[in-house]
Amino acid sequence: MGKSMAGHLMSKGYKLHVYSRTKEKAESLVAQGASWHSSPAALAPLCDVIITMVGYPRDVEEVYLGDQGVIPFAKQGALVIDMTTSSPSLAKRIEEEASKRGIWALDAPVSGGDIGAREARLSIMAGGSKEAFEQAVPVLEAMGTQIVHQGPAGSGQFTKMCNQIAIASNMMGVCEALIYAEKAGLDPSTVLKSIQSGAAGSFSLSNLAPRVINGDYAPGFYVKHFIKDMQIALDSAKEMNLDLPGLSLALSLYERLARMGEEDSGTQALFKVYLQQQ
């Protein structure tokens, strides 16, 4: 996703400096004119806007607050935008540390997966000050079409958790509908034609159910990253004394899927858990 998003920034005329822990993943951007750097610390002083998209909260913490991280080396007045799905509390901490150094900060996770990233139509949910958000809008518009300021630091991450909670139960419903159709002797593709445009319609039903039917479990979004997101959501729900039984069930099913060796598959691979029960 990050490579597609960076490519859109270049296509809009932004001068791009890039860092990736695996240099090979950025080679196509470098070939198009991006400048490669060996660390976040090396890149940070050269940029007015710094955008990150990494894997886990621990990676976000290292990239921003580590010895070779962005915050200690970014110039005063710079804007940092973390688009990773991460912890709301970490987003608040990053903004606090950034503000001490005169740096603007936003948490701006996205929804739309690999397709949305390639087509520059991501939904971007932002948390941070209104001033930081207004500075970021022209940059964010290069990558997404639905860009909403949700509130203070952490609000983008809380909103993304709402997104993941809805998807988690929806993916169970999609898989259960498909396995039910098969057991009833129906053609799942034909069933899909009837139900995807009605009240049951959803992104997962329209985009991921066809992949399941075709046996395509390649990742648009990794199982391991979805497990991470669901755990963040449950942890924050616990802090709010909130019980989310649907999310808890979804997490347990995805953890079972990971134990089956599918952590690098796409989230639609949840269907394999249902197949295993037959």
Side-chain angles (χ1 to χ4, degrees):
M1 289 178 66
K3 182 164 66 175
S4 295
M5 293 159 71
H8 293 309
L9 291 169
M10 291 188 72
S11 71
K12 295 293 184 180
Y14 289 101
K15 182 179 179 181
L16 202 66
H17 296 266
V18 296
Y19 164 73
S20 175
R21 288 169 295 183
T22 307
K23 186 177 181 180
E24 291 74 19
K25 292 183 178 180
E27 284 181 346
S28 63
L29 295 171
V30 173
Q32 295 173 57
S35 299
W36 167 260
H37 298 273
S38 60
S39 70
L43 174 152
L46 304 173
C47 299
D48 296 314
V49 180
I50 302 167
I51 302 172
T52 52
M53 172 72 86
V54 292
Y56 296 87
R58 62 178 179 268
D59 303 317
V60 175
E61 184 172 16
E62 179 182 357
V63 165
Y64 277 96
L65 304 174
D67 292 339
Q68 293 295 303
V70 166
I71 297 299
F73 293 93
K75 58 188 177 182
Q76 191 172 34
L79 170 64
V80 299
I81 308 172
D82 181 35
M83 304 188 81
T84 312
T85 300
S86 181
S87 161
S89 61
L90 178 57
K92 295 176 184 178
R93 183 179 162 205
I94 288 171
E95 193 204 39
E96 289 172 1
E97 293 301 318
S99 65
K100 292 176 184 177
R101 297 174 179 267
I103 299 166
W104 300 97
L106 283 180
D107 49 287
V110 304
S111 180
D114 57 334
I115 297 172
R118 286 198 304 269
E119 298 180 358
R121 53 179 181 86
L122 292 167
S123 175
I124 302 174
M125 44 212 87
S129 71
K130 186 176 180 180
E131 293 82 0
F133 176 73
E134 289 174 349
Q135 288 186 53
V137 167
V139 174
L140 299 178
E141 286 178 338
M143 299 175 284
T145 54
Q146 180 78 350
I147 302 164
V148 181
H149 183 223
Q150 295 290 342
S155 299
Q157 298 297 351
F158 279 124
T159 304
K160 182 60 186 288
M161 291 303 106
C162 295
N163 185 84
Q164 303 304 74
I165 291 166
I167 288 174
S169 293
N170 184 232
M171 277 306 305
M172 290 190 295
V174 168
C175 291
E176 290 177 10
L178 292 176
I179 201 75
Y180 181 92
E182 287 188 5
K183 282 292 188 179
L186 302 172
D187 179 345
S189 295
T190 304
V191 171
L192 195 58
K193 291 178 183 177
S194 291
I195 68 173
Q196 68 180 353
S197 60
S202 68
F203 177 92
S204 296
L205 196 64
S206 296
N207 293 276
L208 298 181
R211 296 190 190 186
V212 171
I213 291 168
N214 293 325
D216 176 7
Y217 300 110
F221 188 64
Y222 288 110
V223 165
K224 61 186 178 185
H225 289 160
F226 196 34
I227 289 173
K228 174 261 296 183
D229 294 354
M230 288 186 284
Q231 190 61 63
I232 291 171
L234 281 172
D235 289 344
S236 59
K238 184 177 180 180
E239 292 172 0
M240 296 184 282
N241 295 315
L242 183 63
D243 182 30
L244 301 176
L247 181 61
S248 297
L249 175 58
L251 176 59
S252 69
L253 293 175
Y254 272 100
E255 288 176 334
R256 185 189 308 178
L257 181 63
R259 291 193 294 271
M260 293 165 57
E262 299 287 345
E263 66 174 9
D264 288 322
S265 297
T267 53
Q268 71 274 19
L270 181 65
F271 189 69
K272 292 187 177 184
V273 171
Y274 290 89
L275 286 176
Q276 191 184 55
Q277 296 174 1
Q278 293 193 79

